């Protein structure tokens, strides 16, 4: 349930409402917007309390929310969430491009690719140190060493970093080295992992499970939010359909739907969403047109010899750079900003 108050409601009245809710043993989630303040109630609301709140001074409306997720919903939090990391704002109107290889392969490889991501105008370096492979005999990633290589490359080239974490035990070490932690499609409903990410202190990019509904994705996000971490991005990375021409079907509809249901930033992954290099450019542009707040795109200097099978969907560096040039022109048409000339990251001690 949510209690809505007007923008002129005095602070004492808001505090009285909060007190009345907390007295009944419920949790409060406060969202202050320009036009109104929304007080979200977490827990079971007795009809008597709802009636009492309705009568209180300053209350404009009391609305029952039937969705199973609360903190992730736009009802609870009408304004867009903006995640600020070292001066990069995700979800605030500036497009964010995360680029890099599927996997960190060596210090030289990630360093070279980081330089290219930076030169092209990307803000975030992607790369997996722990890889969730379908078969147990495939390359599983270089592990903790990879985290260190990536952190160094990010630092040297002034990029944020994002890497996948697969198990709760590795959350702390990944959080130590990376700026953003990625939950892969296969782990979207790994609830122990999601709970641990609720307290990791770093923003999380949560990929949609390849067979998950929007509701399931938002409930997965709710686990992280309910654990105390407000910095969650949702990522559409393609779903399983009957079509075999593409690796997955990038569900573009997910972008406006998730933006409508939730206040969390939405990122599109046209690389895994299509599995084909030639489709990454059009689907990147389509994602931006559909309202994505950012992109996560695979790029490799030698895709034919990449250590995962994802070379076929990885852009060559010049394609990546050309695409970002195009985004600079496209972004303003859809009300976003994007510049390939980046201001340096803001580091705080
Ligand atoms: C990846 O980003 O390299 C990856 C494994 O993604 P997904 O979980 O979407 O398959
Ligand atoms: Mn990949």
């Amino acid at each position: 349930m949510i209690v809505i108050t007007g923008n002129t409601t005095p602070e004492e009245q808001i505090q009285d409402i909060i007190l009345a809710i907390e007295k009944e043993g419920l949790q409060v989630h406060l969202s202050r917007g320009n036009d109104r303040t929304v007080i979200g109630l977490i827990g079971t609301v007795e009809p008597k309390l709802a009636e009492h709140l309705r009568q209180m001074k300053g209350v404009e409306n009391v609305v029952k929310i039937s969705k199973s997720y609360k903190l992730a919903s736009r009802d609870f939090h009408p304004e867009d969430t903006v995640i600020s990391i070292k001066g990069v704002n995700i979800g605030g109107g500036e497009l964010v491009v995360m680029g890099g290889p599927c996997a960190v392969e060596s210090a030289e490889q990630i360093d070279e690719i980081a330089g290219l991501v930076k030169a092209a105008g990307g803000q975030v370096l992607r790369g997996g140190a722990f890889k969730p492979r379908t078969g147990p005999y495939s390359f599983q990633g270089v592990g903790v060493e990879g985290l260190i290589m990536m952190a160094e490359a990010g630092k040297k080239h002034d990029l944020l970093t994002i890497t996948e974490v697969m198990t709760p035990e590795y959350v702390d070490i990944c959080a130590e080295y990376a700026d953003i932690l990625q939950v892969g499609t296969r782990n979207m409903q790994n609830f122990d992992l999601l709970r641990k990410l609720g307290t990791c202190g770093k923003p999380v990019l949560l990929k949609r499970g390849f067979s998950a509904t929007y509701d399931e994705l938002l409930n997965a996000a709710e686990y992280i939010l309910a654990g105390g971490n407000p910095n969650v991005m949702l990522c559409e990375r393609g779903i399983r359909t009957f079509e075999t021409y593409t690796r997955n079907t990038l569900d573009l509809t997910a972008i406006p739907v998730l933006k409508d249901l939730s206040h969390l930033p939405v990122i599109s992954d046209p690389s895994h969403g299509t599995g084909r290099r030639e489709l990454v450019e059009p689907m990147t542009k389509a994602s931006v047109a559909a309202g994505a707040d950012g992109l996560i795109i695979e790029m490799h200097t030698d895709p034919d010899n990449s250590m995962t099978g994802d070379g076929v969907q990885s852009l060559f560096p010049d394609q990546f750079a050309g695409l970002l040039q195009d985004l600079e022109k496209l972004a303003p048409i859809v009300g976003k900003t994007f510049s390939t000339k980046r201001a340096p990251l803001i580091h705080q001690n």
Side-chain angles (χ1 to χ4, degrees), residues 3-4 69 71 73-74 130 150 161 170 173 181 193 225 236 265:
V3 176
I4 301 167
Y69 54 88
L71 300 174
S73 77
R74 219 182 247 285
F130 302 95
M150 207 173 149
T161 58
Y170 279 95
I173 189 137
L181 303 187
L193 177 62
L225 298 168
E236 165 58 37

Side-chain angles (χ1 to χ4, degrees), residues 28-48:
V28 165
H29 177 269
L30 196 61
S31 174
R32 293 181 197 270
N34 289 334
D35 304 328
R36 57 187 194 162
T37 293
V38 173
I39 304 167
L41 281 71
I42 303 163
T44 311
V45 183
E46 298 296 336
K48 229 175 77 193

Side-chain angles (χ1 to χ4, degrees), residues 101-103 126-128 130-133 164 182-187 205 207-208 210 235-238 247-248 269 271-273 296 298 308 310 313:
C102 183
R126 65 145 289 150
F130 302 95
K131 294 305 301 178
R133 305 307 303 281
E164 176 164 354
Q182 172 179 327
V183 177
T185 192
R186 296 158 187 82
N187 264 322
L205 178 139
K207 287 195 163 195
R208 177 183 181 189
F210 50 64
C235 178
E236 165 58 37
R237 52 76 68 201
R247 182 176 176 183
N248 292 289
D269 175 349
S271 307
H272 296 86
I296 180 162
E298 289 190 341
T308 66
D310 289 1
Q313 67 191 33

